[in-house]
Amino acid sequence: GDSVTQMEGPVTLSEEAFLTINCTYTATGYPSLFWYVQYPGEGLQLLLKATKADDKGSNKGFEATYRKETTSFHLEKGSVQVSDSAVYFCALSPYSGGGADGLTFGKGTHLIIQP
Amino acid sequence: NAGVTQTPKFRILKIGQSMTLQCTQDMNHNYMYWYRQDPGMGLKLIYYSVGAGITDKGEVPNGYNVSRSTTEDFPLRLELAAPSQTSVYFCASGGGNQPQHFGDGTRLSIL
């Protein structure tokens, strides 16, 4: 079945550092890929998405590129802030458009940004 | 715009008790989902629905039941609570061509 693997945390960085959170996936067909963020005590919020190979999703300074050749969707940000501290989840949907199946999630990466 | 609303936010149950977790969405989404999140793990799909009157099992459906009588509501029922069902439960709507939108979760403890 489908699966998502993301780097273990916690990841601790200083403010203004460069961030990379690795995510790789296994899926048949042409999945859509997502990054969700979860702040303490809250639900998941969509951060960005990509629906086909070579698409780049971006939002709030975060970026991720859908790489089919390496089955990866790594999350990057050039300069992190304390407010970026949260848990980040990589997820896939088995369909590039349409389809009702639920998302398959990675285990999450806890990011801690120190001032 | 409320989005996805879950109640209650917290609950403690005794083993063998039953309860219903409520979920309502106001975005007119056809697809709705229930996930559980265990510590250090990603979310696992329990049940989902593609529209009123239609539900289907996800990855971890045992011990749960759902119904979908309206587009807006998708309650999750635990009939005989067990300690293994201690978790945080998230309802979501969307899917298909739309990203999934999540509620704030229900933290459930079974003692």
Side-chain angles (χ1 to χ4, degrees), chain A residues 34 36 38 41-46 49 87 89 93 95-108, chain B residues 31 33 35 37 40-45 48-50 88 90 95-105 107:
Chain A
F34 305 85
Y36 280 84
Q38 184 180 32
E42 298 184 8
L44 279 71
Q45 301 175 24
L46 178 66
K49 68 174 183 176
V87 180
F89 291 94
S93 169
Y95 304 99
S96 59
D101 286 12
L103 297 172
T104 298
F105 285 87
K107 292 184 178 181
Chain B
Y31 303 157
Y33 307 83
Y35 296 88
Q37 182 183 28
M41 303 294 291
L43 281 68
K44 301 284 188 183
L45 182 66
Y48 67 99
S49 169
V50 300
V88 182
F90 288 99
N97 288 316
Q98 299 294 324
Q100 292 185 23
H101 298 265
F102 287 79
D104 286 341
R107 187 175 297 274

Side-chain angles (χ1 to χ4, degrees), chain B residues 2-7 22-27 32 34 72-74 91:
Chain B
V4 178
T5 303
Q6 292 183 237
T7 57
Q22 302 292 343
C23 175
T24 299
Q25 55 97 3
D26 62 1
M27 295 173 283
M32 294 188 73
W34 275 105
E72 293 78 20
D73 300 311
F74 190 40
C91 179

Side-chain angles (χ1 to χ4, degrees), chain A residues 3-95:
Chain A
S3 67
V4 174
T5 302
Q6 58 182 107
M7 60 191 295
E8 299 283 332
V11 174
T12 303
L13 296 173
S14 297
E15 203 166 23
E16 300 184 359
F18 184 87
L19 168 71
T20 300
I21 300 178
N22 290 336
C23 172
T24 58
Y25 68 90
T26 302
T28 56
Y30 303 94
S32 294
L33 300 173
F34 305 85
W35 277 100
Y36 280 84
V37 59
Q38 184 180 32
Y39 299 101
E42 298 184 8
L44 279 71
Q45 301 175 24
L46 178 66
L47 182 58
L48 52 83
K49 68 174 183 176
T51 58
K52 61 183 186 295
D54 299 325
D55 266 2
K56 176 185 283 188
S58 61
N59 186 26
K60 299 181 181 180
F62 291 90
E63 294 182 339
T65 301
Y66 186 164
R67 302 288 189 198
K68 190 170 175 62
E69 65 275 14
T70 55
T71 61
S72 65
F73 193 54
H74 304 323
L75 182 68
E76 297 182 335
K77 186 175 186 183
S79 177
V80 292
Q81 306 299 313
V82 173
S83 57
D84 293 328
S85 298
V87 180
Y88 292 81
F89 291 94
C90 186
L92 73 80
S93 169
Y95 304 99

Side-chain angles (χ1 to χ4, degrees), chain B residues 4 6 11 14 18 28 36 48 52 54 58 61 66 68-69 87-88 93 102 107:
Chain B
V4 178
Q6 292 183 237
R11 185 73 184 267
K14 294 182 179 179
S18 62
N28 203 34
R36 59 177 287 172
Y48 67 99
I54 306 171
V66 294
R68 184 93 182 271
S69 57
S87 190
V88 182
S93 72
F102 287 79
R107 187 175 297 274

